[in-house]
Amino acid sequence: MTTDTSLLDVRGLQTAFHTEAGAWLAVDGVDLTVARGEIVGLVGESGSGKSVTGFSLLGLIDPPGEVVGGQVLFNGTDLRSLDEESLRKLRGDRIAMIFQDPLMTLNPVLRVKEQMMEAILTHHPRTPRRDAEARCLEALAMVGIPAPEKRLDNYPHEFSGGMRQRVAIAIAMLNHPELIIADEPTTALDVTIQGQILYQMQKLCRQNDTAMIWITHDLGVVAELADKVAVMYAGRIVEYGPVSEVLAAPRHPYTQGLLQSMPGAAVPGSRLNQIDGMAPTLTGREAGCTFRPRCPHAGPECARAVPDRTDAGERYFRCYRPIALAQEQA
Ligand SMILES: Nc1ncnc2c1ncn2[C@@H]1O[C@H](COP(=O)(O)OP(=O)(O)OP(=O)(O)O)[C@@H](O)[C@H]1O
Ligand SMILES: [Mg+2]
């Protein structure tokens, strides 16, 4: 639900890709609220539209893609109404993005120090160099880079994959953003390093009151890290709410399927591994609920139209036949 404390309030976001077969909505009516300092996990299988959502929020969709509908209210201002120059001022300053591949942030031919200094001075040109340098060192130390004063003069290739991602995270944190959009920043790393970085980012967000949208296909990561979860399926958020509530008692059958496919989630009688069936493709989208062909609960009403949002407290879901809560079954 929209509240006055929302830092980010996304309403009905739609992003199309124009193809020879016509315009196709990769993001189709996303509603997402992020409060100040809150961590929201955006989870869903490959191709569900998580990255396109992240890029759309920042106005980073290039042709043949286009944001075609909705609002992206950041502190009450619709980012869609801003020109490129104003957006550029926000990006890397009040809103930062961290990508799966740190080399999307890091320039391979520049020393880390130059890149970090530039990240500060572009947005805050009057910062004294000495202060900016101190902030670079502090940021590297914060993300757990040992002996940062020795590493500032290194080039990105002189860091290991995990350390390089830490540098990218340090750059994202440099200007104390209000919001970070992190697109699978740890999936390429080994599990131990992934855990360390997750923990560190959560701590940094808490310390700095930074909000974060954490994009992942791993519900385990969401359970560890996030306050809220938004479950995405075929371009829509099908379920949203506080992590503890959604994971304990999912309302949408897709969320339940994701939970049951988690390693270690073996519930007697439930199937492990993948949810049956395929996500809808460009041409394969039918009328009604897009999850219907794979849904164990589907009934005739599910074929009629896309389910509207059902709001219940802080949660919402889009399903005609939601899983009953325990008290409803009693
Ligand atoms: N430049 C593009 N042109 C056409 N279609 C695109 C483009 N970029 C993304 N798409 C389509 O938009 C849909 C959503 O893609 P997106 O990258 O957001 O998925 P995702 O949820 O981030 O998946 P993953 O977990 O694999 O990263 C996909 O079907 C994808 O093929
Ligand atoms: Mg992606």
Side-chain angles (χ1 to χ4, degrees), residues 44-299:
E45 63 199 337
S46 193
S48 55
K50 306 181 297 295
S51 295
V52 173
T53 299
F55 285 120
S56 300
L57 298 179
L58 286 173
L60 289 172
I61 296 289
D62 294 320
E66 186 189 4
V67 179
V68 293
Q71 290 181 305
V72 180
L73 300 169
F74 179 68
N75 286 312
T77 302
D78 189 358
L79 301 186
R80 286 194 63 209
S81 69
L82 300 183
D83 57 20
E84 182 52 32
E85 174 64 19
S86 314
L87 276 175
R88 209 175 304 137
K89 281 192 184 139
L90 278 177
R91 289 195 293 251
D93 191 30
R94 295 175 63 196
I95 308 179
M97 186 138 186
I98 303 169
F99 303 93
Q100 180 173 347
D101 180 357
L103 294 177
M104 281 188 67
T105 306
L106 300 172
N107 183 334
V109 300
L110 291 180
R111 292 176 203 276
V112 160
K113 181 173 172 179
E114 291 166 70
Q115 306 191 44
M116 295 187 89
M117 293 293 279
E118 189 189 310
I120 297 174
L121 295 172
T122 304
H123 292 290
H124 306 279
R126 284 200 284 271
T127 314
R129 274 195 82 83
R130 191 181 301 183
D131 293 1
E133 271 182 44
R135 251 162 71 192
C136 296
L137 283 174
E138 184 193 43
L140 289 179
M142 268 192 334
V143 295
I145 300 223
E149 61 291 342
K150 294 202 184 108
R151 303 310 302 263
L152 269 181
D153 285 326
N154 287 155
Y155 290 94
H157 72 262
E158 296 176 275
F159 291 83
S160 68
M163 286 295 161
R164 215 178 286 148
Q165 189 57 287
R166 285 172 200 255
V167 174
I169 293 166
I171 291 178
M173 294 276 185
L174 266 179
N175 293 322
H176 299 296
E178 290 162 75
L179 175 67
I180 294 178
I181 300 171
D183 192 354
E184 312 244 22
T186 58
T187 17
L189 305 174
D190 78 55
V191 178
T192 322
I193 294 175
Q194 190 172 25
Q196 288 168 358
I197 293 184
L198 285 181
Y199 171 73
Q200 215 132 27
M201 288 194 67
Q202 188 188 43
K203 199 169 104 185
L204 289 173
C205 283
R206 301 283 187 240
Q207 275 169 0
N208 299 323
D209 206 21
T210 305
M212 182 158 68
I213 298 175
W214 185 281
I215 297 175
T216 177
H217 48 249
D218 186 344
L219 262 186
V221 165
V222 170
E224 289 274 320
L225 184 81
D227 305 302
K228 300 268 174 64
V229 58
V231 179
M232 194 154 192
Y233 186 78
R236 298 196 181 97
I237 308 263
V238 295
E239 179 150 20
Y240 168 88
V243 168
S244 53
E245 291 180 33
V246 172
L247 300 193
R251 306 301 310 270
H252 199 287
Y254 178 62
T255 313
Q256 187 181 51
L258 278 181
L259 277 166
Q260 288 172 349
S261 68
M262 275 170 74
V267 180
S270 77
R271 289 164 50 90
L272 256 182
N273 63 56
Q274 295 288 312
I275 303 168
D276 282 344
M278 296 276 291
T281 55
L282 179 60
T283 47
R285 242 178 237 190
E286 305 164 55
C289 173
T290 39
F291 188 56
R292 178 173 53 96
R294 298 167 76 183
C295 183
H297 300 256

